[in-house]
Structure formats: C-alpha cells, structure tokens
Amino acid sequence: MLARGVEPTFFRDDRDRRAFLGKGLQDLFFLLNAQMGVVYRDRGVVIPVELSSTLRFVERCGPVSISQIAAGLAASHQLISLRVATLAELRLVDGRPDATDRRR
C-alpha cells in the first residue's frame, strides 16, 4: 500500500485514475476485511467476516433458500452457495430439502 498522498508514477491523467478505481476499491475491501477480522477475533466471533451478513440474514429470516438469500443480499447465487456451504461446514446452518420444490 502506498503512503498517503503518493501516487504510482503510471497515473498520467484522470483516465488512468478511473481505470484503476476498481483495484483501489478491491485493496480497500481486503484492508477492511483484515481489520474487521482482528475485531471479530478480539470479541470472540469465530466466523470469517465475509460470512457474517449471510448468517445474519438466515438468523433474521428463518428457513430460506439460497436464491432468497442471494436476492436479499444482492449477491450472486454462486457466492451465496459457497458461503452457505462454509457455514454448514462450521455447523452454523443446516440444509433441508424444500417440501414444495425438489430443486431447493
């Protein structure tokens, strides 16, 4: 990470800065995630930071499908499937077949 006020020398104009905005946001996400991990650990929270919103959604909404979680969190079905699988491995959620829809 660069020191405050220091820009990489390859930024020549605003187009360059805009082109690298996504990378900067990704770096910020990783930094925040790492810092929240420290806070979680210090407070005894044992789940990875990125799973907390998924677990909270399930806690508040009760039995829900992957599609419902994805829609509620504005995330992809694939991402939520991975998160729920990790939560299941941690034994924080369990999967049950939907009585009305065998696809779920």
Side-chain angles (χ1 to χ4, degrees), residues 11-37:
F11 284 166
R12 295 190 187 131
D13 57 31
D14 284 339
R15 282 184 1 180
D16 289 340
R17 285 181 190 81
R18 285 191 306 270
F20 286 91
L21 177 62
K23 171 71 169 93
L25 291 172
Q26 183 181 38
D27 290 346
L28 178 60
F29 166 78
F30 288 130
L31 177 64
L32 289 170
N33 197 34
Q35 291 176 346
M36 283 306 300

Side-chain angles (χ1 to χ4, degrees), residues 54-66 68-69 84 93-94 96:
T54 304
L55 185 59
R56 181 71 174 144
F57 186 90
V58 171
E59 177 189 38
R60 292 194 74 191
C61 297
V64 289
S65 69
I66 299 288
Q68 289 169 318
I69 300 168
V84 169
V93 299
D94 62 347
R96 292 181 223 145

